[in-house]
Each structure stands twice: as structure tokens, then as C-alpha cells.
Amino acid sequence: MKPLFSLLNWIYRDDKEFFFDLFFKDKTNYLFITLIHGGIIEDFKFDEKYIQFGCEDEIKLYAIFYYFINPYHYLQNYDDENFKSNLDIIMKIPLNFLMKIVLDYIRSEHVKIVPIEFVNMINENDTLFYETFNCMKLNNIRELQSFLFLLDYDSVHFQDIMFKFILKKFESLLSRQFIFVEIDDLKLIYESLSKEQISEVILLLIKIKENLVFVPEFDLQIRYKKYLIDIRKYNQLNDLIEFSLSFK
């Protein structure tokens, strides 16, 4: 790849408009992503005037978002002027793509504080947010916890709907073959909920527990593997329910 990279370096120095146009035509996205990570141009700078925001290539738009936000994800607050300038560029990504990108950003482990601009975007486009969040597949309880801050939003209507979505995602996590939810995880969730909402979570835990099929001793004899999976979930849910009742 060295001869190609050398040629691209020459084009970058000589004609930036042509250079960026070439990269936005990269259908494989290999060169585009390599460029974003600094693997082609050593002192590369993504000039806003060359960004094709309407490219409708999700991978490229994710890469653009990453490029402008990555230097600042470690900040405890977002008062940095350079970040605010980068944020203005990020907000030019088409909304239907930006909503998905922002939700993926929120659930990533390294995010400490979510910029208020992203929160406002969610609240101002709640229908799109609900659709996008509903389609997301959350991998673990930590990702679900990352959205709890939205329950603090002033709109009671938004809070109610958001809680229903969180409860639905929680049910999906609990309905898997193996449950990876600890009491500490549940405690963190409960600290963001009202007493009525905690009661709904308890009812959900009880429902899932009661729907377990292979827990009688009889299954131990004839469906050993299924019994081991369900009895483990049964005991886990028992512990979570006991804790929930004491917390409530």
C-alpha cells in the first residue's frame, strides 16, 4: 500500500478538494477509515468544507462522528471551545443517521458525560428517538444503565415512555439463556426509578421466573441441560426479587 499512500499524500498537499472527493467515493471504506485513524496522512485534518454530509454512507458518517468527538471523550465537561466547534460540525450529520450514532455513542463504556446538545436533539425528536432506541439490540446491563439519565428529563410524558422502553430492554436481557445481571446492577437502576416503577420491575422479574419451564425435579432426570439452565435462572431471579422487595 506504500506507493498508493505516497500518491494520496501528494494529492492531499496539491488538491484537497479532489482528495476528499476521492475518499468519499471509496465504497469499501477501508481507505476512508484508515485515513480517519491517521494511517495515511500523518498531519491529516478533516476540513469541514469538504465533508459530504449527504453521502448516506453510514460507515463514513460514523467515522466522521468519531473523528470529531474522539479527542474529547475523556472530558469531565464540555466547555472546551474546540470541542464546541467540532460539535457544530457533528450536528450537521443528517438527523436519521445522527440519532443512531449518538445512541451508540451514549452506550459506549468510555463516555463520561453526554453533551447537552445530544440530549436536546433526543428530546426535540422524540418520535425518531423512540423508533431508533426500540430497534437497538443492547448487549448487556451496562449499556442499558447508560440511558437511565434520560429518566431525569423534565417531560413526564417522555419519562413514562422512556421507562417503558427501558423495561422492555430489561426484559429482553432477562429472557436470554443466561442472565448476566447482578444485584449491584439492579441497585443502580433502582436509584433512578420511582417506587411505582420499581414495582413494575419486580412484577417483570416475577413473571419471567414463573414462566421458566424446566425447573421441576422431573426435568433433572430427562432434560438435564435445560434443567440446569432454567434452575440457574430461577435462583438468580429469586435473589433479584428478594433484593428488590427489600429495596422497595
Side-chain angles (χ1 to χ4, degrees):
M1 302 295 285
K2 286 185 178 179
L4 174 60
F5 287 3
S6 295
L7 175 61
L8 291 172
N9 265 275
W10 180 83
I11 296 173
Y12 178 75
R13 313 295 172 195
D14 186 69
D15 189 342
K16 284 188 171 59
E17 184 175 358
F18 179 55
F19 174 86
F20 282 100
D21 189 51
L22 280 176
F23 273 88
F24 273 97
K25 290 176 179 175
D26 172 23
K27 294 183 179 179
T28 69
N29 284 314
Y30 169 75
L31 290 175
F32 194 93
I33 293 173
T34 305
L35 175 73
I36 292 294
H37 283 276
I40 298 178
I41 311 297
E42 186 175 343
D43 56 346
F44 171 72
K45 180 180 179 182
F46 214 141
D47 295 333
E48 179 187 355
K49 63 182 177 179
Y50 299 125
I51 298 176
Q52 298 177 17
F53 289 104
C55 68
E56 294 193 355
D57 184 327
E58 188 172 74
I59 294 177
K60 286 186 175 68
L61 295 173
Y62 265 93
I64 291 167
F65 180 92
Y66 169 85
Y67 174 85
F68 285 104
I69 208 166
N70 188 56
Y72 303 97
H73 69 74
Y74 60 86
L75 295 179
Q76 296 294 338
N77 61 70
Y78 287 124
D79 292 333
D80 185 276
E81 288 301 320
N82 290 328
F83 175 74
K84 289 180 178 179
S85 175
N86 281 13
L87 198 59
D88 289 339
I89 297 173
I90 287 172
M91 299 305 289
K92 294 180 181 180
I93 295 174
L95 182 61
N96 57 322
F97 289 104
L98 184 59
M99 184 67 75
K100 185 174 185 294
I101 294 170
V102 165
L103 296 194
D104 280 335
Y105 174 72
I106 289 173
R107 70 174 174 173
S108 60
E109 293 183 0
H110 65 254
V111 174
K112 293 180 172 61
I113 295 178
V114 178
I116 189 63
E117 287 81 357
F118 293 164
V119 179
N120 290 339
M121 179 198 69
I122 289 171
N123 294 326
E124 291 166 5
N125 302 278
D126 53 355
T127 300
L128 178 60
F129 165 73
Y130 299 144
E131 292 173 357
T132 308
F133 185 75
N134 191 42
C135 293
M136 289 180 70
K137 182 181 179 182
L138 298 183
N139 298 308
N140 53 60
I141 191 68
R142 298 290 192 280
E143 291 184 359
L144 180 62
Q145 289 168 343
S146 65
F147 291 98
L148 292 175
F149 77 95
L150 291 173
L151 291 172
D152 293 331
Y153 183 58
D154 290 340
S155 168
V156 175
H157 177 69
F158 183 89
Q159 289 177 6
D160 289 342
I161 297 178
M162 188 63 208
F163 171 70
K164 287 180 173 62
F165 277 108
I166 286 177
L167 196 62
K168 183 179 178 181
K169 295 296 183 186
F170 189 46
E171 181 175 8
S172 177
L173 291 173
L174 293 172
S175 299
R176 294 177 183 176
Q177 187 174 36
F178 298 102
I179 298 177
F180 297 100
V181 178
E182 304 294 336
I183 286 177
D184 286 345
D185 298 322
L186 204 53
K187 181 180 179 183
L188 185 59
I189 292 176
Y190 285 164
E191 288 172 350
S192 299
L193 303 183
S194 66
K195 289 183 179 181
E196 292 76 15
Q197 290 169 336
I198 293 173
S199 295
E200 289 192 51
V201 176
I202 295 173
L203 289 175
L204 173 63
L205 292 169
I206 293 172
K207 183 189 80 171
I208 295 174
K209 174 189 164 185
E210 291 178 346
N211 285 339
L212 292 173
V213 177
F214 305 109
V215 292
E217 288 292 328
F218 176 73
D219 291 299
L220 177 60
Q221 306 301 321
I222 63 171
R223 287 181 283 261
Y224 181 65
K225 289 184 178 179
K226 291 182 178 179
Y227 170 83
L228 288 181
I229 291 172
D230 273 13
I231 199 66
R232 182 175 183 269
K233 288 182 68 173
Y234 184 91
N235 291 331
Q236 284 180 288
L237 289 165
N238 252 344
D239 291 341
L240 295 175
I241 291 168
E242 285 183 15
F243 166 75
S244 301
L245 291 171
S246 64
F247 186 93
K248 183 170 180 292

